[in-house]
Amino acid sequence: PDVAPLFRWLWKNYQYVLAFRFAIQEINKDPQLLPNLTLGFQLYNSVTSGQFTLRSTLHWLTGKHHLIPNYTCQTQGKTVAIIAGTTSAFLAEIGTMLELYKTPQITYGPFDPMLSERDKFPSLYQMATSDSSLAYGMLSLLLHFGWIWVAIFVSNDMKGEQFLQDIEAEMVKKGVCLAYSVKLPDTKSRYEETEISFLEGIRISSANVHILYGDVMGLYTMEFLSKYCLTLGKVWIMDTKWEIVVKETDHMLHSFHGGFSFSHHKEEIPGLNHFVKTVDPSHYPEDFFLSQLWLHAFHCLPPGPLCGTIGVCPPNASFEFFPGRIDMLTISDSSYFIYNAVYAVAHALHKMLSEQMEKRSPGDTSQPRILPWQLHPLLRKIQFTNSAGEDVSFHETRHHMPHYDIHNIVNFPAGFCLLIKIGEFSPECARGEDLVLNEEMIEWPVAFKETPQSLCSQRCGPGFRKMPQEGKHVCCYTCVVCPERDISNHTDAEQCIPCADHEYPNMERNRCLPKLVTFLAFEEFLGMALACMALCFSVLTAAVLWVFVKHRDTPIVKANNRTLSYILLITLLLCFLCSLLFLGRPNTATCLLQQIAFGLVFTIAVSTVLAKTITVILAFKALKPGRTIRWLLVSGTSNFIIPICSLTQLVLCGIWLGTSPPFIEVDKHSEHDYIILVCNKGSVTAFYCVLGYLGSLALASFIVAFLARNLPDTFNEAKFLTFSMLVFCSVWVTFLPVYHSTKGKVMVAVEVFSILASSAGLLGCIFAPKCYVILIKPDKNSLKALRNQCSCRRP
């Protein structure tokens, strides 16, 4: 077992010895493998120091306590193979020396690409397979939990550098960002107190997930640093080598609790677990390390010659009830590789001995001589299935994409630590099926009550999109709400998605809802109010018409052409009623009638006002007999104004209908959550021509009425006509900017209101004074009153 500096024992490593002994015993009991031959062995403790490592190697080579390089005092046969090394540095230190003797070296430590170079290490064989898929496995775990902001700690060597490059390349592809990385030196002594400033960064960093990868030497550095910084509230992801530190360091127990460990998937070796449970120092009294471990754990020894003054252990003392933090029953990767390495040597020896026996003469009974270098051709080709059912070989074409078991690191209050298997990673499976986890079994660090997050920025929920921050990682961003017509229906959306024209975003902007079809209906408040106004004015107009018909022979009705008054009142009645065409669900008929009826009816109304104004002027200009103007008045010339003006407007409307008539339009954009049915004007030019012609007539009527406003007479209505046209022109001049600044139903409502307001202005200004006289002051509406008024005005 490895021993840390200052003689600190890592007792978990004694499991390597137990796996080694178990394999030796199995082979020696197997009648098919190496029959009539017993395997022997020597055990050397490799302390984590280059000096002690070389000393142990020289002890083995010389066979004496006194170290004499290149000289051996061993009287028995030399060892034919060496199973050693948990670190690449250890193997590199002894490899050069052992290569002089061509001794096969089989490593049980983690795979290192450097050791696979045959020109540098031709006698070295690695039991572990490549870690090529480890970076993928760790990255899959990160993506599964949404951890996109991580820190990485690697050993300061080529292996750590290669892992850092590999995982960084994959992180960039998958959108995972590196918060920072730290290279751990291979010995504690390289770390001064001034060089541990990054430890404070661990504590305050927003990266809650840390990845650990490297050689065992770096583990002790991490353990050393833990004395200065207890990293609570962080999730650690590591490979199986770190279990040594996890299980046997005083300061890192709580730091690693809730973390994850990746180890090569391995089947259970039959009988090994039972062997570990039942072994004790009485079985191997020559094993100094087992006695020390037993004494360390139980403060006693089993009955026997080793007891002396030390207390006798109870009968149930075993590794199954091992106290403290050391879990000897969970078989580590290195123990599994040691078991396979022993069998690999045994199979190679068996094959070599079988070949030698075939070549020997029948009478030769001498023991075959075995030289270490003779095993190399056999080891390179060796291939067998171990007792766990897995294939073992050193061939270069063997499986290079290992499966990984994922363990959760759980610490208990008494200091006992367990690695609980919670999932697997199989790189050969399809994407999405390569990672299998049982999340219900996961214990998180004590700082988290639920699955922790590791983000540079908080996630952007539905309804928002990510906006990158200039000069920062892609994982560092701000959340921006989606535009008015767009949504995002998942977390951390890169772009917002526009809703279809027939849909609209909800208030949260995470879902598109179907728009309701709407229009300016009679049932809604605005439509009902306008309809009521139109009907009320229509009834009022009909009432005025009835009053005028009833009092048709009175002077005030006869004044200014009684027929024109009837025409104007009927036209105003139609104006009020035509506004109802703009209300309700639009259809082809109403869309055509809306503008045509509006244009023709208002043209008749305005031309009638113009005719009445001209009639007033002709009446006052024709007072002297014999003049041409008198003939115009008598012949009813003003009555031709209405058909001429109306016919012109009718031609314009005909051109409008013939070129680009109005049609039903589905307005999907004016209102947020509605599709509005409106009548499109069709030809905008034709609409403004009709409106412009109407405006020209109104302006002409206003000018003529304004010029005739001061003509004296009892029933002179020129002033009223002036006011009516002023109101009419004001309404429609105001209509244009308001109409263009509104959309949808409001635009229709503005047009209806303008029709009602202008029509009401004509009705009120022209006929209200007359109705007042007819109904309230009937005494003024008689010939007698008229004569008296005329007599008073004479000089």
Side-chain angles (χ1 to χ4, degrees):
D2 294 338
V3 180
L6 302 179
F7 302 102
R8 190 158 181 268
W9 298 87
L10 297 180
W11 290 113
K12 171 66 178 179
N13 285 0
Y14 188 76
Q15 189 187 85
Y16 304 163
V17 178
L18 296 177
F20 181 80
R21 285 185 180 275
F22 177 72
I24 293 289
Q25 290 184 14
E26 269 194 344
I27 294 170
N28 288 336
K29 293 177 182 179
D30 189 348
Q32 303 298 325
L33 185 62
L34 295 176
N36 303 320
L37 186 66
T38 301
L39 285 181
F41 61 89
Q42 291 178 298
L43 288 175
Y44 288 87
N45 183 25
S46 57
V47 184
T48 54
S49 165
Q51 178 183 355
F52 283 103
T53 298
L54 290 174
R55 177 174 294 183
S56 296
T57 306
L58 289 172
H59 275 306
W60 171 75
L61 287 172
T62 59
K64 290 288 185 179
H65 184 71
H66 300 289
L67 304 181
I68 307 173
N70 202 26
Y71 184 80
T72 178
C73 297
Q74 299 183 70
T75 58
Q76 299 179 350
K78 291 185 178 180
T79 305
V80 295
I82 292 177
I83 300 173
T86 56
T87 69
S88 301
F90 171 76
L91 295 168
E93 287 167 353
I94 70 171
T96 304
M97 182 181 297
L98 295 178
E99 185 60 35
L100 297 174
Y101 306 93
K102 304 298 181 183
T103 304
Q105 306 161 53
I106 304 175
T107 73
Y108 57 86
F111 182 85
D112 192 330
M114 179 187 69
L115 300 179
S116 295
E117 299 178 11
R118 283 294 170 196
D119 55 339
K120 293 184 179 179
F121 303 99
S123 301
L124 192 144
Y125 305 89
Q126 298 190 73
M127 290 304 309
T129 53
S130 172
D131 285 336
S132 57
S133 58
L134 180 61
Y136 298 100
M138 290 184 173
L139 190 60
S140 296
L141 186 67
L142 296 177
L143 295 175
H144 177 81
F145 290 110
W147 297 329
I148 59 174
W149 186 241
V150 299
I152 299 179
F153 295 79
V154 297
S155 55
N156 191 16
D157 53 21
M158 291 298 295
K159 189 175 181 181
E161 182 66 28
Q162 185 62 47
F163 175 81
L164 184 60
Q165 293 178 6
D166 292 343
I167 197 168
E168 275 193 279
E170 292 301 317
M171 288 168 61
V172 171
K173 295 178 184 177
K174 302 298 183 181
V176 180
C177 298
L178 180 63
Y180 58 91
S181 61
V182 177
K183 293 184 178 180
L184 302 174
D186 56 0
T187 59
K188 296 181 184 181
S189 58
R190 295 189 186 180
Y191 256 118
E192 302 295 337
E193 292 190 8
T194 56
E195 295 177 309
I196 61 173
S197 58
F198 74 89
L199 293 175
E200 184 62 27
I202 296 177
R203 184 182 290 112
I204 65 175
S205 172
S206 58
N208 290 328
V209 177
H210 295 164
I211 294 176
L212 295 174
Y213 181 86
D215 219 335
V216 176
M217 289 295 187
L219 311 185
Y220 303 120
T221 300
M222 198 67 187
E223 187 270 332
F224 170 73
L225 296 178
S226 70
K227 297 178 181 179
Y228 296 89
C229 177
L230 190 62
T231 54
L232 293 173
K234 304 296 181 181
V235 178
W236 297 88
I237 302 175
M238 60 198 74
D239 58 343
T240 187
K241 299 184 296 297
W242 291 85
E243 66 184 22
I244 300 170
V245 174
V246 169
K247 293 177 179 296
E248 300 213 25
T249 54
D250 296 330
H251 303 280
M252 296 298 286
L253 283 174
H254 296 292
S255 299
F256 282 125
H257 173 73
F260 298 91
S261 173
F262 279 73
S263 63
H264 289 269
H265 176 74
K266 52 187 178 296
E267 300 295 336
E268 183 178 349
I269 300 174
L272 177 57
N273 198 266
H274 175 74
F275 174 80
V276 174
K277 288 180 180 178
T278 57
V279 73
D280 63 47
S282 63
H283 292 88
Y284 305 103
E286 76 283 358
D287 191 338
F288 167 77
F289 296 113
L290 181 55
S291 299
Q292 288 293 320
L293 173 56
W294 216 260
L295 187 61
H296 166 78
F298 298 105
H299 306 289
C300 62
L301 286 175
L306 294 177
C307 292
T309 59
I310 302 174
V312 178
C313 292
N316 64 344
S318 69
F319 285 125
E320 185 176 6
F321 306 102
F322 211 67
R325 298 179 295 273
I326 307 173
D327 174 23
M328 298 297 291
L329 298 182
T330 302
I331 305 303
S332 66
D333 284 357
S334 295
S335 297
Y336 184 77
F337 294 147
I338 287 174
Y339 178 84
N340 288 338
V342 174
Y343 266 91
V345 174
H347 279 281
L349 284 171
H350 182 85
K351 188 171 182 60
M352 185 180 70
L353 291 175
S354 298
E355 292 176 354
Q356 290 184 357
M357 291 296 292
E358 291 176 0
K359 297 177 182 179
R360 292 174 59 185
S361 60
D364 189 358
T365 59
S366 62
Q367 184 70 27
R369 186 180 181 186
I370 302 174
L371 299 175
W373 58 266
Q374 294 176 319
L375 289 179
H376 287 300
L378 300 172
L379 285 173
R380 294 190 187 104
K381 298 178 182 180
I382 199 70
Q383 187 170 357
F384 64 94
T385 301
N386 65 11
S387 61
E390 292 191 354
D391 294 332
V392 180
S393 72
F394 297 111
H395 200 272
E396 294 180 358
T397 59
R398 63 180 172 157
H399 187 56
H400 285 284
M401 296 288 284
H403 293 202
Y404 287 93
D405 292 334
I406 304 174
H407 295 87
N408 186 212
I409 304 169
V410 180
N411 297 311
F412 295 93
F416 189 67
C417 175
L418 281 180
L419 294 178
I420 301 175
K421 182 178 177 180
I422 50 92
E424 294 181 0
F425 175 73
S426 304
E428 293 181 342
C429 294
R431 183 71 63 184
E433 300 177 0
D434 50 0
L435 182 68
V436 179
L437 290 178
N438 186 351
E439 296 187 36
E440 295 180 357
M441 297 178 61
I442 297 177
E443 283 282 338
W444 297 110
V446 293
F448 303 105
K449 296 182 179 179
E450 56 184 12
T451 303
Q453 292 185 338
S454 188
L455 306 168
C456 179
S457 303
Q458 288 301 315
R459 294 191 178 279
C460 296
F464 295 83
R465 68 175 180 88
K466 297 192 298 185
M467 177 178 286
Q469 295 181 343
E470 186 176 356
K472 293 187 178 181
H473 289 281
V474 294
C475 301
C476 304
Y477 47 79
T478 55
C479 297
V480 181
V481 67
C482 287
E484 182 179 357
R485 299 185 184 277
D486 295 355
I487 65 161
S488 63
N489 53 11
H490 62 276
T491 303
D492 285 345
E494 298 286 345
Q495 297 293 336
C496 295
I497 307 170
C499 287
D501 289 341
H502 62 278
E503 297 177 327
Y504 72 98
N506 58 354
M507 293 297 294
E508 294 78 17
R509 296 186 184 174
N510 59 7
R511 190 158 56 99
C512 290
L513 303 176
K515 289 185 175 182
L516 299 177
V517 177
T518 186
F519 44 85
L520 189 57
F522 290 100
E523 293 80 8
E524 60 181 290
F525 176 77
L526 183 57
M528 189 178 296
L530 293 174
C532 290
M533 289 175 60
L535 292 176
C536 291
F537 280 122
S538 299
V539 172
L540 181 61
T541 304
V544 173
L545 179 59
W546 178 80
V547 170
F548 266 62
V549 172
K550 183 178 180 181
H551 299 86
R552 60 185 177 277
D553 295 326
T554 57
I556 198 169
V557 175
K558 291 181 178 181
N560 304 113
N561 199 322
R562 178 172 52 190
T563 304
L564 292 178
S565 296
Y566 294 157
I567 294 173
L568 182 57
L569 284 171
I570 295 172
T571 306
L572 289 176
L573 177 61
L574 295 176
C575 287
F576 288 123
L577 292 177
C578 83
S579 64
L580 298 176
L581 294 173
F582 292 84
L583 305 177
R585 189 183 185 94
N587 54 60
T588 304
T590 55
C591 286
L592 292 174
L593 288 175
Q594 278 180 10
Q595 305 304 329
I596 304 305
F598 161 74
L600 287 177
V601 172
F602 267 87
T603 298
I604 294 172
V606 174
S607 59
T608 302
V609 173
L610 179 61
K612 289 176 70 66
T613 308
I614 292 176
T615 299
V616 173
I617 294 174
L618 292 177
F620 281 98
K621 297 297 182 180
L623 292 177
K624 295 182 180 180
R627 299 187 62 179
T628 306
I629 295 179
R630 184 179 183 84
W631 176 82
L632 294 174
L633 178 63
V634 175
S635 61
T637 305
S638 59
N639 295 333
F640 293 100
I641 295 175
I642 298 174
I644 293 173
C645 294
S646 300
L647 185 61
T648 304
Q649 186 69 288
L650 185 62
V651 172
L652 291 175
C653 291
I655 296 173
W656 185 2
L657 294 178
T659 55
S660 180
F663 58 90
I664 300 175
E665 181 183 24
V666 179
D667 184 0
K668 300 177 181 179
H669 306 292
S670 295
E671 292 194 21
H672 179 260
D673 49 357
Y674 290 100
I675 295 176
I676 305 173
L677 296 180
V678 295
C679 289
N680 190 293
K681 301 296 187 296
S683 174
V684 179
T685 304
F687 170 73
Y688 283 110
C689 286
V690 170
L691 200 63
Y693 176 72
L694 183 60
S696 301
L697 287 179
L699 183 61
S701 299
F702 172 73
I703 293 173
V704 173
F706 181 78
L707 295 175
R709 70 188 186 282
N710 293 322
L711 293 177
D713 192 56
T714 302
F715 301 117
N716 179 15
E717 59 181 0
K719 291 183 180 180
F720 303 136
L721 294 174
T722 303
F723 280 118
S724 67
M725 295 315 299
L726 180 62
V727 172
F728 186 89
C729 293
S730 300
V731 169
W732 288 104
V733 168
T734 307
F735 161 79
L736 290 175
V738 176
Y739 182 78
H740 284 288
S741 63
T742 56
K743 294 180 180 180
K745 294 191 294 184
V746 179
M747 179 183 287
V748 178
V750 167
E751 191 169 359
V752 173
F753 181 79
S754 299
I755 292 173
L756 296 177
S758 57
S759 301
L762 292 177
L763 179 66
C765 293
I766 295 175
F767 295 101
K770 297 179 184 295
C771 291
Y772 175 78
V773 173
I774 294 171
L775 301 175
I776 307 301
K777 301 289 185 178
D779 54 318
K780 293 184 178 182
N781 188 20
S782 62
L783 292 175
K784 181 179 179 181
L786 181 62
R787 292 192 188 98
N788 292 335
Q789 187 174 0
C790 292
S791 299
C792 294
R793 289 181 179 178
R794 290 174 183 170

